Amino acid sequence: MVLWQNSTTGPGLQFWKDAAAGFEKANPGVKIDVQTVQNEDFDGKLQTAMNSGSAPDIFLQRGGGKMQAMVDAGQVKDITSGISAATKKVIPDASFGAESIDGKVYAMPLSVLPSGIWYSKDLFEKAGIDGTPGTLDELNADIQKLKDADIQPVALGAKDAWPAAHWYYNFALRECAPTAITDAAKSKTFTDPCWLKAGQDLATFNATKPFNNGFLTTAAQQGAGSSAGLLANKKAAMELMGAWDPGVIASLTPDEKPLPDLGWFPFPEISGGKGEAGSILGGVDGYSCSQNAPAACVDFLNYIATTEQQTAYYKAYNSPPVNTEAQKAVSESYLQDVVKTYNAAPFVSQWLDTVYGQNVGNALNVSVVNLLAGKGTAAGIVQATADAAKKG
């Protein structure tokens, strides 16, 4: 079998090599070819492979509208009946729900990956910041303190588009009622005023110049000069990113070890927004089997869901596992905060480019970058998203 994953180096890639070797040893005659596809190229290459009939047997599943498209095209295997009793015992129903459509499970959930702001406690202390901001006004005040201390406040890898769009997603989560977000997933219409307001919020925030120098040409995760690298090397104080970020940051520190002063807080609340307080963005990363993958594919998914493998996954990626037994191994305070906030959230939305599918998501992401670059507007984001939805 061929497996596609998106870790290019380090412990993440080693996890998949070790998992494949362990499964092969326990299942003579089975071979798994672990292949790496760069994260920013993953969705496009997977779609091409699916459409050309050369899909990998096992692959990273984003979920949402992207998974819906695969289901509609008959390209992904229904694994519902193949999930073992042992797996069901350690993975909550809610996690399977994130990988399900019409009651059928199409991916094995592995990790809880909500969005939030990662920060350097040392740089906050240097700037005289006490605690973490709970509101947008407090965040803006802290950004000014960082500027006054000659510290770049927020690292942003806008070159890759989606990290920039995460700011719009979070503003939308605060401005839009949960029903507006979920209804848009079905109707693909964005007429609720909250979508425009979210863009206006982002434009106002961007006008304060919170981001690192050259953020429009900064990559998200590749090298010390990436947004994750800026935080890893104390060149910027914050980064808005999913819960995979600690592992990426750790791979980019000078000693390639976890950042000792790393902290996390949820995206701040906004006064007057219709979003439900405490709501959070992000989803559950999982792995799927392509429609024509052999039965051993589902067996492998059960294998990587075991407590032993989930604990190894957590240690490799430094991100919270879905396996409730493996969660007991989580020792970092910031990941404990992530899990606590995620579990308490009254509403959880997947990434909006995932919810609304690849074509709409790409248009949304690009239009956000255009706004940040001074080439677009809040109304332009809504229009571009609506136009892409009409094209299907």
Side-chain angles (χ1 to χ4, degrees):
M1 297 184 291
V2 172
L3 184 155
W4 278 15
Q5 54 80 43
N6 63 347
S7 290
T8 56
T9 60
L13 176 58
Q14 193 60 48
F15 165 80
W16 288 108
K17 290 181 177 179
D18 291 345
F23 187 76
E24 289 172 351
K25 185 176 181 180
N27 296 271
V30 175
K31 294 294 180 184
I32 299 175
D33 178 14
V34 176
Q35 298 182 4
T36 295
V37 180
Q38 171 62 42
N39 183 67
E40 281 66 36
D41 300 331
F42 197 96
D43 292 353
K45 289 188 175 181
L46 180 60
Q47 188 174 51
T48 298
M50 289 280 190
N51 293 341
S52 65
S54 57
D57 298 286
I58 312 162
F59 58 90
L60 171 65
Q61 177 60 259
R62 309 284 196 189
K66 295 176 181 179
M67 185 169 75
Q68 180 72 65
M70 294 178 194
V71 172
D72 292 344
Q75 296 170 329
V76 62
K77 188 185 292 289
D78 172 7
I79 66 170
T80 311
S81 62
I83 300 171
S84 70
T87 299
K88 293 177 182 177
K89 186 176 179 180
V90 292
I91 295 182
D93 289 342
S95 294
F96 283 117
E99 306 288 9
S100 300
I101 294 174
D102 296 331
K104 297 179 179 179
V105 183
Y106 290 95
M108 183 66 71
L110 291 187
S111 185
V112 178
L113 298 169
S115 176
I117 296 179
W118 303 90
Y119 73 102
S120 163
K121 294 179 181 179
D122 289 349
L123 293 184
F124 267 41
E125 183 178 352
K126 184 178 178 181
I129 298 171
D130 184 23
T132 56
T135 66
L136 183 59
D137 288 343
E138 291 172 353
L139 176 63
N140 285 326
D142 288 344
I143 286 173
Q144 187 57 54
K145 289 180 181 179
L146 288 161
K147 287 182 179 180
D148 292 343
D150 200 27
I151 298 168
Q152 295 190 109
V154 181
L156 176 59
K159 178 182 178 181
D160 294 322
W162 58 266
H166 281 198
W167 281 92
Y168 177 79
Y169 302 169
N170 276 281
F171 278 121
L173 188 73
R174 295 290 178 254
E175 293 290 2
C176 296
T179 52
I181 292 176
T182 55
D183 288 350
K186 301 172 185 175
S187 67
K188 296 296 194 297
T189 56
F190 302 88
T191 54
D192 191 297
C194 69
W195 299 109
L196 178 63
K197 187 65 170 65
Q200 293 169 338
D201 289 346
L202 178 57
T204 300
F205 183 71
N206 186 48
T208 69
K209 301 187 183 304
F211 303 121
N212 59 285
N213 295 328
F215 71 91
L216 291 169
T217 56
T218 299
Q221 301 177 128
Q222 298 88 47
S226 66
S227 55
L230 292 176
L231 182 53
N233 292 280
K234 307 289 183 71
K235 302 296 184 183
M238 293 179 273
E239 183 185 27
L240 175 66
M241 191 57 66
W244 59 82
D245 210 26
V248 178
I249 291 169
S251 72
L252 298 172
T253 58
D255 60 2
E256 296 186 3
K257 293 182 179 179
L259 193 67
D261 66 313
L262 187 64
W264 179 90
F265 58 91
F267 194 84
E269 300 293 337
I270 297 175
S271 177
K274 294 182 180 178
E276 198 164 348
S279 294
I280 200 166
L281 263 174
V284 175
D285 257 12
Y287 274 74
S288 289
C289 296
S290 59
Q291 183 61 54
N292 297 321
C297 181
V298 182
D299 295 337
F300 179 73
L301 296 186
N302 279 308
Y303 174 75
I304 58 176
T306 61
T307 300
E308 179 182 10
Q309 288 298 309
Q310 277 272 279
T311 302
Y313 185 95
Y314 147 65
K315 290 179 178 179
Y317 281 94
N318 204 213
S319 64
V322 295
N323 180 307
T324 53
E325 288 299 312
Q327 283 180 359
K328 296 176 182 177
V330 174
S331 58
E332 297 86 352
S333 61
Y334 50 79
L335 290 184
Q336 292 170 348
D337 290 343
V338 168
V339 172
K340 181 180 178 181
T341 304
Y342 180 85
N343 289 340
F347 173 67
V348 178
S349 172
Q350 288 183 307
W351 315 109
L352 298 190
D353 57 349
T354 297
V355 173
Y356 302 135
Q358 187 157 328
N359 293 335
V360 175
N362 286 346
L364 172 58
N365 293 355
V366 170
S367 63
V368 170
V369 174
N370 286 340
L371 180 147
L372 295 177
K375 299 177 181 178
T377 63
I381 294 175
V382 178
Q383 188 63 52
T385 306
D387 288 346
K390 290 176 183 177
K391 293 177 182 178

